[in-house]
C-alpha cells in the first residue's frame, strides 16, 4: 500500500486592522487579520501539517520554528513550497488536499477560486485536486466571538519510490 493520508489543524488569534492572509492571498477589506510569527496564514499552515503528517515528517513547528528570525513575517507560500520539496525528496507525490476554514467573517466563498489557483501553482497539482471549504462556528466559542480562526486539512500522498 503506497497511499498515505495526513491531517493538519491550525489556529491563530484575530486582531482588528491586521492584514488577513488566507490560502495564499490577502483578503481585501477584512475587518481583522490573523496574528502570528509568519504571515499567519492558518489555511496554509494546516495544509503543511497535513502533508508533513502524511509523510510522517514531523510538523510545521519542527521545520519552521516560531522562534527563528528567518521565518518572521514570512510568506507562508514559501513554507508550503519547502514542505512540497521535502516530500518530493522523500519520494512522495501529492494526490489531493481537502481543507476547511472555520471563521465568522469575512465571507470566504468569493475568494476560494483565487486561493485554489495560487495553491495549485505552489503545490504543483491541478486545481481540482485542491478543495477549500468554509464554515462558521455559529457564534460559539473563540471562533464564534471572532477572537480566532482555525483550519483543518487532509492530504493524500503516494510513495513513488
Ligand atoms: Mg500557524
Amino acid at each position: 500500500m503506497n497511499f498515505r493520508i495526513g491531517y493538519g489543524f491550525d489556529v491563530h488569534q484575530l486582531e482588528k486592522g491586521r492584514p488577513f492572509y488566507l490560502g495564499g492571498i490577502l483578503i481585501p477589506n477584512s475587518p481583522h487579520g490573523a496574528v502570528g510569527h509568519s504571515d499567519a496564514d492558518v489555511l496554509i499552515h494546516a495544509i503543511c501539517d497535513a502533508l508533513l503528517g502524511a509523510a510522517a515528517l514531523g510538523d510545521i513547528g519542527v521545520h519552521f520554528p516560531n522562534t527563528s528570525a528567518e521565518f518572521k513575517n514570512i510568506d507562508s507560500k514559501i513554507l508550503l513550497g519547502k514542505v512540497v520539496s521535502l516530500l518530493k525528496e522523500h519520494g512522495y507525490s501529492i494526490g489531493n488536499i481537502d481543507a476547511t476554514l472555520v471563521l465568522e467573517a469575512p465571507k470566504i466563498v468569493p475568494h476560494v477560486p483565487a486561493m485554489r489557483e495560487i495553491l495549485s501553482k505552489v503545490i504543483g497539482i491541478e486545481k481540482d485536486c485542491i478543495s477549500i471549504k468554509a464554515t462558521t462556528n455559529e457564534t460559539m466559542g473563540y471562533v464564534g466571538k471572532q477572537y480566532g480562526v482555525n483550519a483543518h486539512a487532509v492530504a493524500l500522498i503516494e510513495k513513488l519510490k
Side-chain angles (χ1 to χ4, degrees):
M1 175 74 96
N2 291 322
F3 291 105
R4 303 170 64 123
I5 62 164
Y7 168 76
F9 171 79
D10 194 33
V11 55
H12 281 265
Q13 290 184 0
L14 288 172
E15 206 172 86
K16 284 195 174 72
R18 283 182 79 98
F20 202 177
Y21 294 98
L22 272 180
I25 65 167
L26 176 62
I27 304 294
N29 306 314
S30 175
H32 46 217
V35 182
H37 183 69
S38 65
D39 67 6
D41 191 323
V42 69
L43 180 61
I44 288 189
H45 295 177
I47 290 171
C48 285
D49 265 3
L51 292 169
L52 290 168
L57 287 170
D59 62 39
I60 195 169
V62 169
H63 294 278
F64 315 113
N66 65 7
T67 48
S68 165
E70 186 187 347
F71 305 118
K72 179 83 182 144
N73 297 324
I74 195 169
D75 181 338
S76 292
K77 292 191 288 298
I78 295 170
L79 306 182
L80 178 57
K82 287 175 187 277
V83 167
V84 170
S85 298
L86 189 67
L87 262 66
K88 274 189 190 148
E89 283 165 28
H90 282 79
Y92 292 107
S93 164
I94 297 165
N96 74 297
I97 288 161
D98 182 24
T100 301
L101 272 165
V102 192
L103 79 170
E104 300 295 311
K107 285 276 174 245
I108 295 305
V109 170
H111 307 296
V112 165
M115 292 179 186
R116 293 175 73 205
E117 180 85 39
I118 198 148
L119 292 179
S120 78
K121 290 198 176 98
V122 176
I123 300 168
I125 60 177
E126 295 296 323
K127 273 185 288 187
D128 68 1
C129 295
I130 300 173
S131 159
I132 299 170
K133 311 182 304 297
T135 184
T136 71
N137 212 48
E138 297 285 336
T139 76
M140 297 177 289
Y142 68 85
V143 170
K145 303 303 175 209
Q146 303 191 39
Y147 301 142
V149 52
N150 64 43
H152 305 258
V154 290
L156 182 75
I157 65 172
E158 186 179 7
K159 186 92 171 178
L160 296 177
K161 56 187 185 226

